[in-house]
Amino acid sequence: MRIDWRKSTRSGSATDEACVELAALPGGVGVRDSKDPHGGRLTVTGDQFGRLLERIKAGSLDRP
């Protein structure tokens, strides 16, 4: 199965320290670090991804 990863539009430039890539996967969404494409990835359901986005947009995951 071919997985087409795309860089998040919220990641910033190519030199940004916090870059993520997303991919549509069977049963969910894949999330990985763009600087380590062969490393681990997080796979979440569509509902979980939606809740994650809500928390990110609300700022509840921001570092102090």
Side-chain angles (χ1 to χ4, degrees):
M1 175 178 133
R2 180 184 161 151
I3 299 174
D4 292 318
W5 292 93
R6 66 176 180 83
K7 185 175 173 186
S8 170
T9 57
R10 300 283 183 179
S11 287
S13 69
T15 59
D16 194 334
E17 292 293 320
C19 296
V20 297
E21 292 179 325
L22 306 173
L25 301 174
V29 177
V31 183
R32 73 178 184 183
D33 182 347
S34 64
K35 291 180 179 55
D36 187 15
H38 301 292
R41 72 175 186 215
L42 174 67
T43 303
V44 295
T45 67
D47 288 341
Q48 291 169 327
F49 187 71
R51 288 193 300 274
L52 175 62
L53 288 180
E54 287 174 7
R55 292 186 66 192
I56 291 169
K57 289 177 183 180
S60 65
L61 300 176
D62 291 351
R63 295 180 188 166

